[in-house]
Amino acid sequence: DSGVTQTPKHLITATGQRVTLRCSPRSGDLSVYWYQQSLDQGLQFLIQYYNGEERAKGNILERFSAQQFPDLHSELNLSSLELGDSALYFCASSVVGGLNTGELFFGEGSRLTVL
Amino acid sequence: AQSVTQLGSHVSVSEGALVLLRCNYSSSVPPYLFWYVQYPNQGLQLLLKYTSAATLVKGINGFEAEFKKSETSFHLTKPSAHMSDAAEYFCAVSDAIRGGSQGNLIFGKGTKLSVKP
């Protein structure tokens, strides 16, 4: 158990809909990362938040957005869903500051199926 | 920009045989390097990491990896494969600044390891 919690584990929805994925980082970790894993693209970095602020952005579509709340949990919002958005979405968290050696701790993922 | 290349999307070995999964990296600064394992329907679990200490890194489940700067490689090995090692393995490089608050991981495309009885 990595200590990172993601909900829901599975989600089935229709094209054009909007969903929200939720992540609670490990206790004490200030930084949250979102990744998308699909068969054709592999593991793609979407976005990073650090203590409520956006810190880095990767290949995140404009239809997707994220935020990190004062209690450090994060949400990834996916809107106007397309079939190609079907994927496994991972959240990860990390130690920051002087202890940062780059290691990320991953949740078990949220599997999104768009029909 | 940093990147990682994993040679071979599928590797099949017999139980008890040597496991060798290849990873080459590209980085303009001394890198942090990682191997993660993903079992079916699970998240990614850290196997081992290189952070510029010893070049031979030992991880969990009997795996180890050697950092070779001259070859820009970080290959993963295990002397004797077990059936339970069947999984997908990902090599990753971090763009973390030492002691900083940034740093996402850039992953390779993964290598699926099959172990035959």
Side-chain angles (χ1 to χ4, degrees):
Chain A
D1 182 3
S2 67
V4 178
T5 305
Q6 289 188 246
T7 57
K9 291 193 186 305
H10 301 275
L11 192 54
I12 300 174
T13 188
T15 54
Q17 295 298 303
R18 173 189 168 95
V19 299
T20 297
L21 309 180
R22 182 189 167 102
C23 168
S24 294
R26 292 188 323 155
S27 177
D29 284 356
L30 299 179
S31 207
V32 169
Y33 306 75
W34 286 98
Y35 284 82
Q36 179 193 58
Q37 185 180 34
S38 60
L39 283 175
D40 52 345
Q41 296 291 326
L43 270 161
Q44 296 285 314
F45 167 66
L46 296 179
I47 197 163
Q48 177 203 357
Y49 278 82
Y50 171 67
N51 204 19
E53 301 283 332
E54 182 183 305
R55 185 53 64 102
K57 218 168 190 176
N59 301 320
I60 188 166
L61 300 173
E62 284 192 10
R63 300 183 285 109
F64 296 0
S65 64
Q67 54 184 327
Q68 186 180 27
F69 295 87
D71 67 353
L72 301 178
H73 91 271
S74 177
E75 292 181 356
L76 179 66
N77 300 297
L78 315 175
S79 62
S80 302
L81 285 168
E82 302 174 0
L83 295 178
D85 297 328
S86 295
L88 195 51
Y89 292 84
F90 284 111
C91 171
S93 69
S94 72
V95 175
V96 294
L99 297 177
N100 184 15
T101 56
E103 176 180 351
L104 300 189
F105 296 87
F106 283 81
E108 296 204 345
S110 293
R111 183 171 294 281
L112 173 65
T113 302
V114 182
L115 301 176
Chain B
Q2 292 165 309
S3 65
V4 165
T5 302
Q6 290 184 243
L7 298 177
S9 58
H10 286 88
V11 170
S12 182
V13 301
S14 297
E15 194 171 19
L18 171 72
V19 175
L20 170 61
L21 304 182
R22 299 177 187 274
C23 172
N24 288 88
Y25 70 91
S26 170
S27 176
S28 58
V29 298
Y32 293 126
L33 292 163
F34 305 83
W35 277 98
Y36 280 82
V37 60
Q38 185 179 26
Y39 297 102
N41 300 313
Q42 293 188 26
L44 283 83
Q45 179 183 0
L46 181 69
L47 268 181
L48 50 80
K49 63 180 179 182
Y50 167 76
T51 57
S52 78
T55 56
L56 182 62
V57 181
K58 293 189 184 298
I60 62 172
N61 301 338
F63 284 92
E64 61 183 37
E66 187 172 8
F67 173 72
K68 291 187 177 180
K69 185 177 179 181
S70 60
E71 299 177 7
T72 61
S73 69
F74 190 56
H75 302 331
L76 181 71
T77 60
K78 182 174 180 178
S80 175
H82 294 165
M83 297 294 291
S84 60
D85 294 327
E88 191 157 18
Y89 293 80
F90 293 90
C91 182
V93 62
S94 172
D95 64 1
I97 299 170
R98 279 171 167 70
S101 61
Q102 285 185 280
N104 58 291
L105 291 180
I106 296 104
F107 285 90
K109 291 194 178 295
T111 298
K112 196 162 287 188
L113 176 67
S114 301
V115 182
K116 299 175 289 187

